[in-house]
Amino acid sequence: MRTFSRYGTALLAAVMAGGLALSGCAGSTDSDSSSAAGSDEGPITVACGAMEDLCQAWTDKFTEQTGIKATYVRLSSGETVARLASAKDNPEFDVWHGGPVDGYGEAVNQGLIEAYASPEAEKIPDEYKDPDGNWTGVYIGALGFCSNQSQLDKLGVDVPDSWDDLLDPALKGQVSMAHPSTSGTAFTTLWTQVTRLGGEDAGMDYMKQLHNNVLQYSKSGTAPGQIAGRGEAAVGLVFSHDCVKYQEEGMTDLVVSFPEEGTGYEVGGVALVAGSSHKAAAQAYIDFAISAEGQNVGQTVGSYQVLTNPDADTSDKMANLDDINLIDYDFAAAAAAKPDLTARFDEEIAAEPKE
């Protein structure tokens, strides 16, 4: 097995090009250190928006391939933006990996991530990367319904296949979703309504109706699938690959369906945190994350997102995007609207009592 892949080689070249020399695998994190080489070697910390086991697998594989120590903190998209903003002058993270890129767009607008032209990004289709190089998409996930068949049977309700189905009074307290302020998945749900219904007011009106059927707003976008899997709610709103993962892990009552009138989707990204003190190591991690080898890590832990690298492996457990009615999801517009729209959701919906 290789102990130093092409990503480690790229890092060495980057460091040497800057007149630096690698002196070991464990870099200093002391900003006052006289060894710039130690800083560029790492270690690095990744703000990770994927499932916990996938975050672990990504960072472990990168360290195995390069010898560069990488650790992660699992955060939702909203939490990541907040943490990056609070530590903007002294970043605690070097890379952001995973989670919908409308959150990355919000971070770009606040100057929290910076462009990096990874050579691996040349293989990624243009629609899955930022034209200015601020982020690159590494996977795609379609928003869907993760339903508990046993719970639906008890309620006498069919598996939902439209957004209107979720407004059925029989599902009062039986729909689980995350909060759009903290969760990229939930914001995708909100922006989907805005897009398919033609405006923010119409989208908010739908969410107000749905509010009466929502059991709770979780912090994490993956939690609603688990809640449905345990039978605590009949339907969870998640990206479909999360529901497939829970099925694989033994929640066999779960079924996946998609709204026929159209659904949103995510492009899960990777980006360089602005002001990283371990930039060369962070760039090497991004190269790895974009590569087919890095993207294939997901399937080793049961994560079946559709992958953006054309050389990556495919699986019949991945969603077939050609069979799903996807809305025209404008990531830039979503990022620009997110602060005001989530504030409206807090004030007009989440804070209001259910009927």
Side-chain angles (χ1 to χ4, degrees):
M1 180 177 293
R2 292 173 299 168
T3 59
F4 204 77
S5 73
R6 64 183 181 277
Y7 313 109
T9 303
L11 172 62
L12 178 60
V15 174
M16 291 182 68
L20 305 174
L22 289 172
S23 58
C25 290
S28 170
T29 59
D30 184 352
S31 60
D32 295 328
S33 171
S34 60
S35 172
S39 176
D40 276 333
E41 286 177 52
I44 60 170
T45 304
V46 178
C48 187
M51 292 273 200
E52 192 88 24
D53 56 357
L54 180 52
C55 296
Q56 186 72 62
W58 276 336
T59 50
D60 284 351
K61 187 66 172 179
F62 172 73
T63 296
E64 173 191 320
Q65 292 289 348
T66 65
I68 302 165
K69 178 66 175 177
T71 58
Y72 73 91
V73 177
R74 201 284 167 190
L75 297 169
S76 64
S77 292
E79 291 175 312
T80 300
V81 173
R83 290 274 288 269
L84 292 179
S86 67
K88 185 175 183 179
D89 295 332
N90 186 25
E92 60 180 316
F93 301 109
D94 302 285
V95 176
W96 183 2
H97 191 188
V101 296
D102 41 15
Y104 289 64
E106 186 180 2
V108 171
N109 293 340
Q110 296 186 41
L112 305 176
I113 58 180
E114 62 182 81
Y116 167 54
S118 169
E120 292 288 340
E122 294 178 3
K123 298 178 182 178
I124 308 303
D126 288 345
E127 61 265 36
Y128 301 136
K129 57 188 176 186
D130 178 63
D132 296 321
N134 291 299
W135 53 261
T136 303
V138 294
Y139 62 75
I140 306 138
L143 183 68
F145 306 145
C146 185
S147 301
N148 186 304
Q149 185 68 66
S150 295
Q151 289 299 109
L152 291 177
D153 291 344
K154 291 176 184 177
L155 296 168
V157 176
D158 293 333
V159 173
D161 61 9
S162 82
W163 290 107
D164 286 345
D165 286 347
L166 300 187
L167 305 181
D168 187 337
L171 290 177
K172 185 174 178 62
Q174 291 291 331
V175 177
S176 180
M177 67 170 284
H179 196 296
S181 291
T182 60
S183 162
T185 306
F187 184 76
T188 301
T189 302
L190 176 54
W191 189 253
T192 295
Q193 313 316 316
V194 170
T195 301
R196 75 179 184 90
L197 297 172
E200 292 188 10
D201 289 342
M204 291 291 288
D205 285 343
Y206 173 84
M207 298 304 293
K208 288 175 184 176
Q209 296 178 68
L210 181 62
H211 179 63
N212 289 320
N213 282 357
V214 172
L215 171 66
Q216 62 185 21
Y217 297 105
S218 62
K219 182 175 70 173
S220 165
T222 61
Q226 294 175 309
I227 291 169
R230 293 193 296 265
E232 297 168 18
V235 183
L237 302 184
V238 297
F239 292 116
S240 64
H241 54 260
D242 292 333
C243 196
V244 172
K245 180 175 176 62
Y246 295 138
Q247 290 172 327
E248 292 278 296
E249 292 176 349
M251 293 182 170
T252 55
D253 283 338
L254 292 177
V255 293
V256 176
S257 59
F258 297 97
E260 58 189 7
E261 64 268 55
T263 193
Y265 64 100
E266 69 167 336
V267 174
V270 66
L272 177 65
V273 173
S276 166
S277 56
H278 314 105
K279 186 171 291 188
Q283 290 173 342
Y285 182 92
I286 291 169
D287 296 343
F288 165 78
I290 297 170
S291 73
E293 186 177 15
Q295 291 187 20
N296 285 339
V297 169
Q299 295 176 59
T300 68
V301 291
S303 291
Y304 294 101
Q305 294 96 329
V306 177
L307 303 174
T308 63
N309 192 310
D311 297 330
D313 296 337
T314 60
S315 168
D316 58 7
K317 295 176 182 178
M318 296 176 178
N320 186 341
L321 300 182
D322 291 336
D323 293 340
I324 303 168
N325 183 15
L326 299 176
I327 63 169
D328 184 12
Y329 198 101
D330 188 328
F331 294 100
K338 188 172 184 178
D340 289 342
L341 198 55
T342 53
R344 281 190 65 183
F345 187 92
D346 284 337
E347 180 179 350
E348 300 176 24
I349 298 176
E352 292 297 312
K354 296 181 175 69
E355 295 178 1

